[in-house]
């Protein structure tokens, strides 16, 4: 009853029981992960030694970058993988083979820690299996971000897309420009209820992450096989930055607040060389913290009204030889891509940049519709499929606006079956890297609400990313029932499936 499903899994009669004397024979990082995940609920010491749990690297390249083979016999567990990444995912599989109490955060007495005899050959369908967590709208506490990483890894998701900046808050410490967090990290109030009601709570909200905290998070995630892709959204979605440094805007004499309403601000960066220098300074600090080869620069929802009304912006358009202000978004993306390339990095962008021209080596995140994923592939890009119609988990599962007990959501109508049923295109001049769920946080102000919206739909998305397109929903739904017991023991406050 694995979630996500394994490529091949066969069970036989018999079991192997973990005891006080069961040893671990594994590379140090893998052994540490086994103990970290299992010692607390089981209370077992899991000492080093031969036999018992054997996790070893092999030269079998057919297993791929993240695949593994596992054999459970009455005498022990043998795992072989071509990389430590494969060994780490086998650790998560072993955890699922144990009783559901293995996910508890405290010792559970009286449990027989038995694994069924089984042979498993496994590996992912896609190299990118992601989840976006928006910490810009609400500054979720770092312990929860770490917990979210743990929940991702438990489902063999391997990319945390961390949305760090937006109109409503700047969460990344930039040492050269401290006002970005000191001013841009705090807003006066937040919407109460749905944004269309235009009510506010009157309560200031603020917070940000230091570079040291984020470096620690990167290391924590890496030990679990999760890499972190940071996003600093540019040149739109920047009102928090403009509140801190008005000279970056198109009307330097205007003092803007950090945006308190949801939605899209019309205030964007000006296209001057001085502003570009500030942005590249920010990116220099960002890449020093995050080793990811992809840096997401946003590029979405950038109104051009201020540029059109600005003599300085129009003069800059003429100086750069652009056809009009609509080309400034493409120019920004190209300049930032060139700068990041000097650091050995590539840009990730939202699919709006397909119209004006995304950098040739950009990874395009197709969000506006399934057709935008197809368009990005047709344009020859590497693509992450994340259409809002199927992968925006901040949308409610129900279609009923009056459903009792349902929290406020941005939109309705993304049930578990719909998430599981998404089938991204497989063909095109470009390459489909994988799939990604999005948890935009306008209506997710607490960790509890994030988990309520995320699960169990994130488990469905994880299976799409790991197991591929072959699954059928009724069979997944049968496996989900025992998986929910694991989430229960982990303390996840998921939404009960319909």
């Amino acid at each position: 009853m694995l979630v996500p499903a394994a490529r091949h899994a066969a069970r036989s009669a018999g079991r192997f029981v973990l005891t006080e004397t069961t040893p671990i024979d594994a590379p140090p990082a893998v052994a540490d992960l086994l103990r970290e995940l299992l010692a607390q609920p089981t209370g077992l010491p899991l000492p080093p030694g031969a036999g018992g749990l054997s996790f070893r690297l092999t030269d079998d390249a057919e297993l791929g970058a993240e695949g593994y083979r596992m054999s459970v016999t009455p005498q022990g567990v043998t795992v072989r993988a071509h990389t430590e990444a494969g060994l780490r995912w086998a650790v998560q599989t072993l955890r699922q083979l144990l009783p559901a109490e293995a996910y508890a955060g405290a010792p559970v007495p009286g449990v027989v820690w038995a694994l069924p005899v089984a042979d498993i050959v496994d590996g992912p369908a896609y190299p990118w299996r992601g989840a976006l967590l928006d910490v810009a709208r609400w500054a979720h506490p770092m312990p929860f971000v770490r917990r979210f990483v743990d929940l991702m890894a438990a489902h063999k998701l391997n990319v945390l897309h961390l949305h760090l900046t937006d109109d409503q808050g700047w969460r990344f410490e930039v040492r050269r420009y401290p006002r970005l967090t000191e001013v841009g990290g705090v807003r006066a109030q937040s919407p109460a209820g749905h944004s269309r009601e235009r009510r506010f709570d009157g309560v200031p909200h603020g917070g940000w992450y230091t570079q040291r905290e984020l470096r620690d998070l990167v290391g924590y995630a890496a030990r679990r096989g999760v890499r972190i892709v940071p996003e600093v959204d540019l040149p739109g979605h920047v009102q928090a930055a403009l509140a801190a440094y008005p000279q970056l805007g198109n009307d330097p004499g205007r003092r803007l607040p950090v945006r308190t309403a949801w939605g899209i601000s019309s205030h964007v960066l000006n296209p001057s060389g001085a502003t570009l220098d500030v942005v590249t300074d920010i990116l220099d600090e960002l890449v020093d913290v995050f080793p990811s080869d992809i840096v997401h620069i946003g590029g979405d929802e950038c109104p051009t009204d201020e540029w059109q009304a600005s003599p300085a912006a129009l003069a800059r358009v003429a100086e750069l030889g652009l056809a009009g202000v609509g080309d400034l978004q493409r120019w920004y993306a190209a300049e930032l891509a060139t700068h990041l390339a000097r650091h050995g990095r590539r840009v990730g962008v939202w699919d709006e940049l397909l119209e004006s021209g995304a950098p040739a080596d950009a990874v395009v995140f197709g969000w506006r519709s399934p057709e935008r994923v197809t368009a990005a592939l047709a344009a020859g890009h590497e693509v992450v499929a994340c259409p809002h119609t199927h992968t925006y988990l901040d949308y409610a599962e129900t279609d009923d606006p009056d459903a009792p007990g349902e929290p406020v959501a941005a939109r309705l109508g993304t049930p578990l079956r719909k998430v599981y049923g998404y089938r991204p295109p497989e063909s095109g001049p470009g390459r489909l890297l994988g799939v990604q769920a999005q948890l935009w946080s306008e209506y997710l102000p607490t960790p509890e609400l994030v988990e309520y919206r995320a699960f169990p739909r994130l488990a469905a998305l994880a299976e799409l990313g790991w197991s591929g397109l072959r699954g059928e929903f009724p069979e997944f739904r049968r496996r989900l029932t025992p998986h929910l017991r694991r989430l229960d023991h982990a303390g996840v406050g998921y939404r009960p499936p319909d």
Side-chain angles (χ1 to χ4, degrees):
M1 292 295 184
L2 300 176
V3 176
R7 185 184 302 167
H8 166 78
R11 291 191 177 187
S12 304
R15 63 181 187 172
F16 171 67
V17 179
L18 302 183
T19 69
E20 292 280 344
T21 60
T22 301
I24 294 175
D25 178 19
V30 177
D32 288 346
L33 181 62
L34 273 163
R35 292 190 186 95
E36 186 172 349
L37 294 179
L38 299 182
Q40 189 168 37
T42 67
L44 300 176
L46 302 174
L53 306 179
S54 174
F55 284 68
R56 284 295 174 192
L57 296 175
T58 175
D59 58 2
D60 184 359
E62 289 187 5
L63 289 172
E66 298 180 88
Y68 64 91
R69 298 178 190 272
M70 175 183 290
S71 174
V72 183
T73 71
Q75 290 72 46
V77 178
T78 301
V79 175
R80 298 294 180 261
H82 190 56
T83 66
E84 283 202 7
L87 295 180
R88 280 192 296 265
W89 298 132
V91 169
Q92 298 294 348
T93 296
L94 183 148
R95 197 178 177 201
Q96 288 200 8
L97 293 175
L98 288 166
E101 288 83 354
Y103 286 77
V108 184
V111 176
V112 177
W113 300 106
L115 298 99
V117 168
D119 285 295
I120 298 171
V121 181
D122 205 4
Y126 300 108
W128 190 295
R129 306 177 304 280
L132 177 147
L133 182 61
D134 173 13
V135 294
R137 273 50 178 261
W138 293 95
H140 291 304
M142 184 57 73
F144 171 70
V145 180
R146 289 188 172 215
R147 172 174 165 83
F148 190 74
V149 167
D150 286 331
L151 292 170
M152 288 179 61
H155 293 83
K156 299 186 174 74
L157 293 164
N158 67 344
V159 180
L160 172 59
H161 177 168
L162 201 58
H163 184 77
L164 288 162
T165 71
D166 218 295
D167 295 312
Q168 295 84 8
W170 187 285
R171 311 297 174 207
F172 172 66
E173 177 195 29
V174 182
R175 292 170 178 170
R176 187 164 181 175
Y177 303 103
R179 287 175 59 84
L180 285 171
T181 48
E182 292 170 0
V183 175
V186 182
R187 63 173 177 264
Q189 58 183 353
S190 306
H194 199 281
S195 60
R196 61 175 169 263
E197 299 174 26
R198 299 188 180 279
R199 294 187 295 113
F200 292 87
D201 62 11
V203 179
H205 175 74
W208 58 87
Y209 310 114
T210 68
Q211 292 190 12
R212 180 176 180 177
E213 286 178 313
L214 291 168
R215 284 193 180 91
D216 288 347
L217 176 67
V218 167
Y220 183 89
R223 291 191 293 275
R224 287 150 178 77
V226 177
R227 65 169 167 149
I228 299 182
V229 172
E231 180 182 358
V232 173
D233 209 343
L234 305 161
H237 287 278
V238 292
Q239 187 167 322
L242 301 182
Y245 294 98
Q247 66 269 29
L248 303 179
N250 292 279
D251 184 0
R254 183 175 184 179
R255 294 295 182 266
L256 293 168
V258 176
R259 185 174 172 90
T260 56
W262 306 139
I264 305 167
S265 172
S266 61
H267 303 295
V268 301
L269 295 177
N270 70 55
S272 70
T275 292
L276 183 63
D277 288 343
V278 171
V279 171
T280 55
D281 287 342
I282 291 168
L283 293 179
D284 287 346
E285 295 197 28
L286 192 76
V287 299
D288 190 50
V289 172
F290 294 96
S292 169
D293 61 320
I294 305 297
V295 174
H296 206 297
I297 59 170
D300 62 316
E301 300 173 330
C302 182
T304 60
D305 309 65
E306 284 194 341
W307 290 337
Q308 191 64 57
S310 166
L314 294 173
R316 183 68 163 156
V317 167
E319 176 188 344
L320 295 170
L322 304 178
V325 295
D327 284 346
L328 284 172
Q329 196 169 355
R330 172 177 58 82
W331 170 79
Y332 252 115
E335 290 293 316
L336 300 183
T338 298
H339 183 79
L340 286 166
R342 298 189 188 108
H343 291 281
R345 315 299 177 90
R346 299 166 58 200
V347 295
V349 299
W350 299 108
D351 66 52
E352 280 91 336
L353 276 165
L354 287 174
E355 278 81 11
S356 58
D361 68 341
V363 175
V364 174
F365 290 65
W367 76 273
R368 285 184 291 171
S369 70
E371 291 73 25
R372 300 302 294 169
V373 178
T374 302
L377 288 169
H381 290 280
E382 290 193 322
V383 180
V384 175
C386 50
H388 76 94
T389 51
H390 295 78
T391 71
Y392 274 35
L393 304 188
D394 52 303
Y395 291 4
E397 294 190 43
T398 178
D399 286 317
D400 181 3
D402 300 316
E406 279 295 310
V408 177
R411 294 192 188 185
L412 302 175
T414 307
L416 179 68
R417 180 186 291 269
K418 186 175 184 179
V419 175
Y420 191 83
Y422 176 54
R423 295 295 181 261
E426 290 289 293
S427 61
R431 175 191 176 210
L432 183 66
L433 293 180
V435 293
Q436 180 171 287
Q438 278 59 237
L439 287 154
W440 299 105
S441 71
E442 288 95 332
Y443 299 100
L444 304 177
T446 66
E448 292 77 15
L449 277 171
V450 173
E451 292 187 5
Y452 180 86
R453 288 290 184 220
F455 292 101
R457 290 182 295 177
L458 191 56
L461 191 285
E463 177 148 321
L464 175 60
W466 181 270
S467 309
L469 310 182
R470 65 182 185 272
E472 296 295 333
F473 183 73
E475 195 274 333
F476 167 75
R477 188 66 184 81
R478 284 192 295 273
R479 282 183 287 111
L480 184 63
T481 297
H483 186 66
L484 294 179
R485 290 195 62 235
R486 300 176 187 130
L487 298 183
D488 288 335
H489 283 287
V492 176
Y494 57 85
R495 183 189 188 276
D498 293 328

